[in-house]
Amino acid sequence: MAILQSPIKEKFESLIKKSNDQFENGKHNDSIITLEEAWGLLPEPKGIYSEESFHLVKDIIDTCFVIKDFKKAKEWSDKIYLTGFARKDTGKKEFMSGKVAFELGDVELAKEFFSIANKKSEGRCFEDEDSKYLKCFKT
């Protein structure tokens, strides 16, 4: 796993803080834009910066859910597979993709993602999540 070096690290952390402040102040779109700027700072391949890349994309997707911008969430759920190369694979990426597919109305694709996430997580992926996703998976 690679470690971000200065001065990129400081700029990246500054943007994450700025995004968090924007989010807390209800400026969700600005928060996403700031996170996208932080994404642009990560050197290629971004996935070797496992924690930074994964959490950044997860935060973008989560914020897209807050504002119900599922098309942008889809764009970023596709990018989630470019992140976190050294992370333990517990199905979080597939679960996020399943949630996005579900919200976009593609129930069959959502079920496929939920099935993969369920296997990888041994069923834990549905804990603390909206029950509609589990219902989708079970039907």
CSV table of all heavy atoms in Angstrom, one decimal, residues 48-97:
chain,number,residue,atom,x,y,z
A,48,ILE,N,-3.7,2.2,-5.3
A,48,ILE,CA,-2.6,1.8,-4.4
A,48,ILE,C,-2.7,2.6,-3.1
A,48,ILE,O,-2.1,2.3,-2.1
A,48,ILE,CB,-1.2,1.9,-5.1
A,48,ILE,CG1,-0.9,3.3,-5.5
A,48,ILE,CG2,-1.1,0.9,-6.2
A,48,ILE,CD1,0.6,3.4,-6.0
A,49,TYR,N,-3.4,3.8,-3.2
A,49,TYR,CA,-3.6,4.6,-2.0
A,49,TYR,C,-4.9,4.1,-1.4
A,49,TYR,O,-6.0,4.8,-1.5
A,49,TYR,CB,-3.7,6.1,-2.4
A,49,TYR,CG,-2.4,6.5,-3.1
A,49,TYR,CD1,-2.3,6.5,-4.5
A,49,TYR,CD2,-1.2,6.8,-2.3
A,49,TYR,CE1,-1.1,6.9,-5.1
A,49,TYR,CE2,0.0,7.1,-3.0
A,49,TYR,CZ,0.0,7.2,-4.3
A,49,TYR,OH,1.2,7.5,-5.0
A,50,SER,N,-4.9,2.9,-0.9
A,50,SER,CA,-6.1,2.1,-0.6
A,50,SER,C,-7.1,2.9,0.3
A,50,SER,O,-8.3,3.0,-0.1
A,50,SER,CB,-5.7,0.8,0.1
A,50,SER,OG,-5.1,0.0,-0.8
A,51,GLU,N,-6.7,3.4,1.4
A,51,GLU,CA,-7.7,4.0,2.3
A,51,GLU,C,-8.2,5.3,1.7
A,51,GLU,O,-9.4,5.6,1.8
A,51,GLU,CB,-7.1,4.2,3.7
A,51,GLU,CG,-6.9,2.8,4.4
A,51,GLU,CD,-8.1,1.9,4.5
A,51,GLU,OE1,-9.2,2.4,4.9
A,51,GLU,OE2,-7.9,0.8,4.1
A,52,GLU,N,-7.3,6.1,1.3
A,52,GLU,CA,-7.7,7.4,0.7
A,52,GLU,C,-8.7,7.3,-0.4
A,52,GLU,O,-9.7,7.9,-0.5
A,52,GLU,CB,-6.5,8.3,0.3
A,52,GLU,CG,-5.6,8.7,1.4
A,52,GLU,CD,-4.4,7.7,1.7
A,52,GLU,OE1,-4.5,6.6,1.2
A,52,GLU,OE2,-3.5,8.0,2.4
A,53,SER,N,-8.3,6.4,-1.4
A,53,SER,CA,-9.1,6.3,-2.6
A,53,SER,C,-10.5,5.7,-2.3
A,53,SER,O,-11.5,6.2,-2.7
A,53,SER,CB,-8.4,5.5,-3.7
A,53,SER,OG,-8.1,4.2,-3.3
A,54,PHE,N,-10.5,4.6,-1.5
A,54,PHE,CA,-11.8,4.0,-1.2
A,54,PHE,C,-12.7,4.9,-0.4
A,54,PHE,O,-13.9,5.1,-0.8
A,54,PHE,CB,-11.5,2.7,-0.4
A,54,PHE,CG,-12.8,2.0,0.0
A,54,PHE,CD1,-13.5,1.3,-0.9
A,54,PHE,CD2,-13.3,2.2,1.3
A,54,PHE,CE1,-14.7,0.7,-0.5
A,54,PHE,CE2,-14.5,1.6,1.6
A,54,PHE,CZ,-15.2,0.8,0.7
A,55,HIS,N,-12.2,5.5,0.6
A,55,HIS,CA,-13.1,6.3,1.5
A,55,HIS,C,-13.6,7.6,0.7
A,55,HIS,O,-14.7,8.0,0.9
A,55,HIS,CB,-12.4,6.7,2.8
A,55,HIS,CG,-12.3,5.5,3.7
A,55,HIS,ND1,-13.4,5.0,4.3
A,55,HIS,CD2,-11.3,4.8,4.1
A,55,HIS,CE1,-13.1,3.9,5.0
A,55,HIS,NE2,-11.8,3.8,4.9
A,56,LEU,N,-12.7,8.1,-0.1
A,56,LEU,CA,-13.1,9.3,-0.9
A,56,LEU,C,-14.3,9.0,-1.8
A,56,LEU,O,-15.3,9.7,-1.8
A,56,LEU,CB,-11.9,9.8,-1.7
A,56,LEU,CG,-12.1,11.1,-2.5
A,56,LEU,CD1,-10.8,11.9,-2.5
A,56,LEU,CD2,-12.5,10.8,-3.9
A,57,VAL,N,-14.2,7.9,-2.6
A,57,VAL,CA,-15.2,7.5,-3.5
A,57,VAL,C,-16.5,7.1,-2.7
A,57,VAL,O,-17.6,7.5,-3.1
A,57,VAL,CB,-14.8,6.4,-4.5
A,57,VAL,CG1,-16.0,5.9,-5.3
A,57,VAL,CG2,-13.7,6.9,-5.4
A,58,LYS,N,-16.3,6.4,-1.6
A,58,LYS,CA,-17.5,6.0,-0.8
A,58,LYS,C,-18.2,7.3,-0.3
A,58,LYS,O,-19.4,7.4,-0.3
A,58,LYS,CB,-17.0,5.2,0.4
A,58,LYS,CG,-18.2,4.8,1.3
A,58,LYS,CD,-17.7,4.0,2.5
A,58,LYS,CE,-18.8,3.5,3.4
A,58,LYS,NZ,-19.7,4.6,3.8
A,59,ASP,N,-17.4,8.3,0.1
A,59,ASP,CA,-18.0,9.6,0.6
A,59,ASP,C,-18.8,10.3,-0.5
A,59,ASP,O,-19.8,10.9,-0.3
A,59,ASP,CB,-17.0,10.5,1.2
A,59,ASP,CG,-16.4,10.1,2.5
A,59,ASP,OD1,-17.0,9.1,3.1
A,59,ASP,OD2,-15.4,10.6,3.0
A,60,ILE,N,-18.2,10.2,-1.7
A,60,ILE,CA,-19.0,10.8,-2.9
A,60,ILE,C,-20.3,10.1,-3.1
A,60,ILE,O,-21.3,10.7,-3.2
A,60,ILE,CB,-18.1,10.8,-4.1
A,60,ILE,CG1,-16.9,11.8,-4.0
A,60,ILE,CG2,-19.0,11.2,-5.4
A,60,ILE,CD1,-15.9,11.7,-5.2
A,61,ILE,N,-20.2,8.8,-3.1
A,61,ILE,CA,-21.5,8.0,-3.3
A,61,ILE,C,-22.5,8.3,-2.2
A,61,ILE,O,-23.7,8.5,-2.5
A,61,ILE,CB,-21.1,6.5,-3.4
A,61,ILE,CG1,-20.3,6.2,-4.7
A,61,ILE,CG2,-22.4,5.7,-3.5
A,61,ILE,CD1,-19.7,4.9,-4.8
A,62,ASP,N,-22.0,8.3,-1.0
A,62,ASP,CA,-22.9,8.5,0.2
A,62,ASP,C,-23.5,9.9,0.1
A,62,ASP,O,-24.7,10.1,0.4
A,62,ASP,CB,-22.2,8.4,1.5
A,62,ASP,CG,-21.8,7.0,1.8
A,62,ASP,OD1,-22.3,6.0,1.2
A,62,ASP,OD2,-20.9,6.8,2.8
A,63,THR,N,-22.8,10.9,-0.3
A,63,THR,CA,-23.3,12.2,-0.5
A,63,THR,C,-24.3,12.3,-1.6
A,63,THR,O,-25.3,13.0,-1.5
A,63,THR,CB,-22.2,13.3,-0.6
A,63,THR,OG1,-21.3,13.1,0.4
A,63,THR,CG2,-22.7,14.7,-0.7
A,64,CYS,N,-24.0,11.6,-2.7
A,64,CYS,CA,-25.0,11.5,-3.8
A,64,CYS,C,-26.3,10.9,-3.3
A,64,CYS,O,-27.4,11.4,-3.8
A,64,CYS,CB,-24.4,10.7,-5.0
A,64,CYS,SG,-23.1,11.5,-5.9
A,65,PHE,N,-26.3,10.0,-2.4
A,65,PHE,CA,-27.5,9.4,-1.9
A,65,PHE,C,-28.2,10.4,-1.1
A,65,PHE,O,-29.5,10.5,-1.1
A,65,PHE,CB,-27.2,8.2,-1.0
A,65,PHE,CG,-27.3,6.9,-1.8
A,65,PHE,CD1,-26.3,6.6,-2.8
A,65,PHE,CD2,-28.3,6.0,-1.6
A,65,PHE,CE1,-26.4,5.4,-3.5
A,65,PHE,CE2,-28.4,4.8,-2.4
A,65,PHE,CZ,-27.5,4.5,-3.3
A,66,VAL,N,-27.5,11.3,-0.3
A,66,VAL,CA,-28.2,12.3,0.5
A,66,VAL,C,-29.0,13.3,-0.4
A,66,VAL,O,-30.1,13.6,-0.1
A,66,VAL,CB,-27.1,13.1,1.3
A,66,VAL,CG1,-27.8,14.4,1.9
A,66,VAL,CG2,-26.5,12.3,2.4
A,67,ILE,N,-28.4,13.6,-1.6
A,67,ILE,CA,-29.1,14.6,-2.5
A,67,ILE,C,-29.9,13.8,-3.6
A,67,ILE,O,-30.5,14.5,-4.5
A,67,ILE,CB,-28.1,15.6,-3.1
A,67,ILE,CG1,-27.0,14.9,-3.9
A,67,ILE,CG2,-27.5,16.5,-2.0
A,67,ILE,CD1,-26.1,15.9,-4.7
A,68,LYS,N,-29.9,12.5,-3.5
A,68,LYS,CA,-30.6,11.7,-4.4
A,68,LYS,C,-30.2,11.8,-5.9
A,68,LYS,O,-31.0,11.8,-6.8
A,68,LYS,CB,-32.1,11.9,-4.3
A,68,LYS,CG,-32.6,11.5,-2.9
A,68,LYS,CD,-34.1,11.5,-2.8
A,68,LYS,CE,-34.7,11.2,-1.4
A,68,LYS,NZ,-34.0,10.3,-0.5
A,69,ASP,N,-28.9,12.1,-6.1
A,69,ASP,CA,-28.3,12.1,-7.4
A,69,ASP,C,-27.7,10.8,-7.8
A,69,ASP,O,-26.5,10.5,-7.7
A,69,ASP,CB,-27.3,13.2,-7.5
A,69,ASP,CG,-26.7,13.5,-8.9
A,69,ASP,OD1,-27.0,12.6,-9.8
A,69,ASP,OD2,-26.0,14.5,-9.1
A,70,PHE,N,-28.6,9.9,-8.2
A,70,PHE,CA,-28.2,8.5,-8.4
A,70,PHE,C,-27.4,8.3,-9.7
A,70,PHE,O,-26.6,7.4,-9.8
A,70,PHE,CB,-29.4,7.6,-8.3
A,70,PHE,CG,-30.1,7.6,-7.0
A,70,PHE,CD1,-31.4,8.1,-6.9
A,70,PHE,CD2,-29.4,7.3,-5.8
A,70,PHE,CE1,-32.0,8.2,-5.6
A,70,PHE,CE2,-30.0,7.4,-4.6
A,70,PHE,CZ,-31.3,7.9,-4.5
A,71,LYS,N,-27.6,9.2,-10.6
A,71,LYS,CA,-26.8,9.1,-11.9
A,71,LYS,C,-25.3,9.4,-11.6
A,71,LYS,O,-24.4,8.7,-12.0
A,71,LYS,CB,-27.3,10.1,-12.9
A,71,LYS,CG,-28.6,9.6,-13.5
A,71,LYS,CD,-29.1,10.5,-14.6
A,71,LYS,CE,-30.4,9.9,-15.2
A,71,LYS,NZ,-30.9,10.7,-16.3
A,72,LYS,N,-25.1,10.4,-10.7
A,72,LYS,CA,-23.7,10.7,-10.3
A,72,LYS,C,-23.2,9.6,-9.4
A,72,LYS,O,-22.0,9.2,-9.5
A,72,LYS,CB,-23.5,12.0,-9.6
A,72,LYS,CG,-22.1,12.4,-9.3
A,72,LYS,CD,-21.9,13.8,-8.7
A,72,LYS,CE,-21.8,14.8,-9.8
A,72,LYS,NZ,-20.6,14.7,-10.6
A,73,ALA,N,-24.0,9.0,-8.6
A,73,ALA,CA,-23.6,7.9,-7.7
A,73,ALA,C,-23.2,6.7,-8.6
A,73,ALA,O,-22.3,6.0,-8.3
A,73,ALA,CB,-24.8,7.5,-6.8
A,74,LYS,N,-23.9,6.5,-9.7
A,74,LYS,CA,-23.6,5.4,-10.7
A,74,LYS,C,-22.2,5.6,-11.3
A,74,LYS,O,-21.3,4.7,-11.3
A,74,LYS,CB,-24.6,5.3,-11.8
A,74,LYS,CG,-24.2,4.4,-13.0
A,74,LYS,CD,-24.3,3.0,-12.6
A,74,LYS,CE,-24.1,2.1,-13.8
A,74,LYS,NZ,-22.8,1.5,-14.0
A,75,GLU,N,-21.9,6.9,-11.7
A,75,GLU,CA,-20.6,7.2,-12.2
A,75,GLU,C,-19.5,6.9,-11.2
A,75,GLU,O,-18.5,6.3,-11.6
A,75,GLU,CB,-20.6,8.7,-12.5
A,75,GLU,CG,-19.2,9.3,-12.9
A,75,GLU,CD,-19.3,10.8,-13.0
A,75,GLU,OE1,-20.3,11.4,-13.2
A,75,GLU,OE2,-18.2,11.4,-12.7
A,76,TRP,N,-19.7,7.2,-10.0
A,76,TRP,CA,-18.7,6.9,-8.9
A,76,TRP,C,-18.7,5.5,-8.5
A,76,TRP,O,-17.7,4.9,-8.1
A,76,TRP,CB,-18.8,7.9,-7.8
A,76,TRP,CG,-18.3,9.2,-8.2
A,76,TRP,CD1,-19.0,10.3,-8.8
A,76,TRP,CD2,-16.9,9.6,-8.3
A,76,TRP,NE1,-18.1,11.3,-9.1
A,76,TRP,CE2,-16.8,10.9,-8.9
A,76,TRP,CE3,-15.7,9.0,-7.9
A,76,TRP,CZ2,-15.6,11.6,-9.1
A,76,TRP,CZ3,-14.5,9.6,-8.1
A,76,TRP,CH2,-14.5,10.9,-8.7
A,77,SER,N,-19.8,4.8,-8.5
A,77,SER,CA,-19.8,3.4,-8.1
A,77,SER,C,-19.1,2.6,-9.1
A,77,SER,O,-18.5,1.5,-8.8
A,77,SER,CB,-21.3,2.8,-7.9
A,77,SER,OG,-21.9,2.7,-9.2
A,78,ASP,N,-19.0,3.0,-10.4
A,78,ASP,CA,-18.1,2.4,-11.4
A,78,ASP,C,-16.7,2.6,-11.0
A,78,ASP,O,-15.8,1.7,-11.2
A,78,ASP,CB,-18.4,2.9,-12.8
A,78,ASP,CG,-19.8,2.5,-13.3
A,78,ASP,OD1,-20.4,1.6,-12.7
A,78,ASP,OD2,-20.2,3.1,-14.3
A,79,LYS,N,-16.3,3.7,-10.5
A,79,LYS,CA,-14.9,4.0,-10.1
A,79,LYS,C,-14.5,3.4,-8.8
A,79,LYS,O,-13.3,3.3,-8.5
A,79,LYS,CB,-14.7,5.5,-10.0
A,79,LYS,CG,-14.8,6.3,-11.3
A,79,LYS,CD,-14.6,7.7,-11.2
A,79,LYS,CE,-14.8,8.4,-12.5
A,79,LYS,NZ,-14.6,9.9,-12.4
A,80,ILE,N,-15.5,2.9,-8.0
A,80,ILE,CA,-15.1,2.3,-6.7
A,80,ILE,C,-14.2,1.1,-6.9
A,80,ILE,O,-13.4,0.8,-6.1
A,80,ILE,CB,-16.3,1.9,-5.9
A,80,ILE,CG1,-16.0,1.6,-4.4
A,80,ILE,CG2,-17.1,0.7,-6.4
A,80,ILE,CD1,-15.8,2.9,-3.6
A,81,TYR,N,-14.2,0.5,-8.1
A,81,TYR,CA,-13.4,-0.7,-8.4
A,81,TYR,C,-12.0,-0.3,-8.7
A,81,TYR,O,-11.1,-1.2,-8.8
A,81,TYR,CB,-14.0,-1.6,-9.5
A,81,TYR,CG,-15.4,-2.1,-9.0
A,81,TYR,CD1,-16.5,-1.4,-9.4
A,81,TYR,CD2,-15.5,-3.1,-8.1
A,81,TYR,CE1,-17.8,-1.8,-9.0
A,81,TYR,CE2,-16.8,-3.5,-7.7
A,81,TYR,CZ,-17.9,-2.8,-8.1
A,81,TYR,OH,-19.1,-3.2,-7.6
A,82,LEU,N,-11.7,1.0,-8.8
A,82,LEU,CA,-10.4,1.5,-9.1
A,82,LEU,C,-9.7,1.9,-7.7
A,82,LEU,O,-8.6,2.5,-7.8
A,82,LEU,CB,-10.4,2.7,-10.0
A,82,LEU,CG,-11.1,2.5,-11.3
A,82,LEU,CD1,-11.2,3.9,-12.1
A,82,LEU,CD2,-10.3,1.5,-12.2
A,83,THR,N,-10.3,1.5,-6.6
A,83,THR,CA,-9.8,2.0,-5.3
A,83,THR,C,-9.5,0.8,-4.4
A,83,THR,O,-9.9,-0.3,-4.7
A,83,THR,CB,-10.9,2.8,-4.6
A,83,THR,OG1,-12.0,2.0,-4.2
A,83,THR,CG2,-11.4,3.9,-5.5
A,84,GLY,N,-8.8,1.1,-3.4
A,84,GLY,CA,-8.6,0.2,-2.3
A,84,GLY,C,-8.0,-1.2,-2.6
A,84,GLY,O,-8.5,-2.2,-2.2
A,85,PHE,N,-7.0,-1.2,-3.4
A,85,PHE,CA,-6.4,-2.5,-3.9
A,85,PHE,C,-6.0,-3.4,-2.7
A,85,PHE,O,-6.1,-4.6,-2.8
A,85,PHE,CB,-5.2,-2.3,-4.8
A,85,PHE,CG,-5.6,-1.6,-6.1
A,85,PHE,CD1,-4.5,-1.0,-6.9
A,85,PHE,CD2,-6.9,-1.5,-6.6
A,85,PHE,CE1,-4.8,-0.4,-8.1
A,85,PHE,CE2,-7.1,-0.9,-7.8
A,85,PHE,CZ,-6.1,-0.4,-8.6
A,86,ALA,N,-5.5,-2.8,-1.7
A,86,ALA,CA,-5.0,-3.6,-0.6
A,86,ALA,C,-6.0,-3.9,0.5
A,86,ALA,O,-5.7,-4.5,1.5
A,86,ALA,CB,-3.7,-2.9,0.1
A,87,ARG,N,-7.2,-3.3,0.4
A,87,ARG,CA,-8.3,-3.5,1.4
A,87,ARG,C,-8.8,-5.0,1.4
A,87,ARG,O,-8.8,-5.6,0.3
A,87,ARG,CB,-9.5,-2.6,1.1
A,87,ARG,CG,-9.2,-1.2,1.3
A,87,ARG,CD,-10.5,-0.3,1.0
A,87,ARG,NE,-11.7,-0.8,1.7
A,87,ARG,CZ,-12.0,-0.5,2.9
A,87,ARG,NH1,-11.3,0.3,3.6
A,87,ARG,NH2,-13.1,-1.0,3.4
A,88,LYS,N,-9.2,-5.4,2.5
A,88,LYS,CA,-9.8,-6.8,2.6
A,88,LYS,C,-11.1,-6.7,1.9
A,88,LYS,O,-11.9,-5.7,2.1
A,88,LYS,CB,-10.0,-7.1,4.1
A,88,LYS,CG,-10.7,-8.5,4.3
A,88,LYS,CD,-10.8,-8.9,5.7
A,88,LYS,CE,-11.5,-10.2,5.8
A,88,LYS,NZ,-11.9,-10.5,7.2
A,89,ASP,N,-11.4,-7.6,1.0
A,89,ASP,CA,-12.6,-7.6,0.2
A,89,ASP,C,-13.8,-8.2,1.0
A,89,ASP,O,-14.0,-9.4,1.1
A,89,ASP,CB,-12.4,-8.3,-1.1
A,89,ASP,CG,-13.5,-8.1,-2.1
A,89,ASP,OD1,-14.5,-7.4,-1.8
A,89,ASP,OD2,-13.4,-8.6,-3.2
A,90,THR,N,-14.6,-7.3,1.5
A,90,THR,CA,-15.8,-7.8,2.3
A,90,THR,C,-17.1,-7.5,1.5
A,90,THR,O,-18.2,-7.6,2.1
A,90,THR,CB,-15.9,-7.1,3.7
A,90,THR,OG1,-15.9,-5.6,3.4
A,90,THR,CG2,-14.7,-7.4,4.5
A,91,GLY,N,-17.0,-7.2,0.3
A,91,GLY,CA,-18.2,-6.9,-0.5
A,91,GLY,C,-18.8,-5.5,-0.5
A,91,GLY,O,-19.9,-5.3,-1.0
A,92,LYS,N,-18.1,-4.6,0.2
A,92,LYS,CA,-18.6,-3.2,0.3
A,92,LYS,C,-18.8,-2.6,-1.1
A,92,LYS,O,-19.7,-1.8,-1.3
A,92,LYS,CB,-17.7,-2.4,1.2
A,92,LYS,CG,-17.9,-2.7,2.6
A,92,LYS,CD,-17.1,-1.8,3.5
A,92,LYS,CE,-17.3,-2.2,5.0
A,92,LYS,NZ,-16.6,-1.3,5.9
A,93,LYS,N,-17.8,-2.8,-2.0
A,93,LYS,CA,-17.9,-2.2,-3.3
A,93,LYS,C,-19.2,-2.7,-4.0
A,93,LYS,O,-19.9,-1.9,-4.6
A,93,LYS,CB,-16.6,-2.5,-4.1
A,93,LYS,CG,-15.4,-1.9,-3.5
A,93,LYS,CD,-14.2,-2.3,-4.2
A,93,LYS,CE,-12.9,-1.7,-3.6
A,93,LYS,NZ,-11.7,-2.1,-4.3
A,94,GLU,N,-19.4,-4.0,-4.0
A,94,GLU,CA,-20.5,-4.6,-4.7
A,94,GLU,C,-21.8,-4.1,-4.0
A,94,GLU,O,-22.8,-3.9,-4.7
A,94,GLU,CB,-20.4,-6.1,-4.7
A,94,GLU,CG,-19.4,-6.7,-5.6
A,94,GLU,CD,-18.0,-6.7,-5.0
A,94,GLU,OE1,-17.8,-6.4,-3.8
A,94,GLU,OE2,-17.0,-7.0,-5.7
A,95,PHE,N,-21.8,-4.0,-2.7
A,95,PHE,CA,-23.0,-3.6,-2.0
A,95,PHE,C,-23.4,-2.2,-2.5
A,95,PHE,O,-24.6,-1.9,-2.7
A,95,PHE,CB,-22.9,-3.7,-0.5
A,95,PHE,CG,-24.2,-3.5,0.2
A,95,PHE,CD1,-25.1,-4.6,0.2
A,95,PHE,CD2,-24.6,-2.3,0.7
A,95,PHE,CE1,-26.4,-4.5,0.8
A,95,PHE,CE2,-25.9,-2.2,1.3
A,95,PHE,CZ,-26.7,-3.2,1.4
A,96,MET,N,-22.4,-1.3,-2.5
A,96,MET,CA,-22.6,0.1,-3.0
A,96,MET,C,-23.2,0.1,-4.4
A,96,MET,O,-24.1,0.8,-4.7
A,96,MET,CB,-21.4,0.9,-2.9
A,96,MET,CG,-21.1,1.4,-1.5
A,96,MET,SD,-19.7,2.6,-1.4
A,96,MET,CE,-18.3,1.5,-1.3
A,97,SER,N,-22.6,-0.7,-5.3
A,97,SER,CA,-23.1,-0.8,-6.6
A,97,SER,C,-24.5,-1.3,-6.7
A,97,SER,O,-25.3,-0.9,-7.5
A,97,SER,CB,-22.1,-1.7,-7.5
A,97,SER,OG,-20.9,-1.1,-7.6
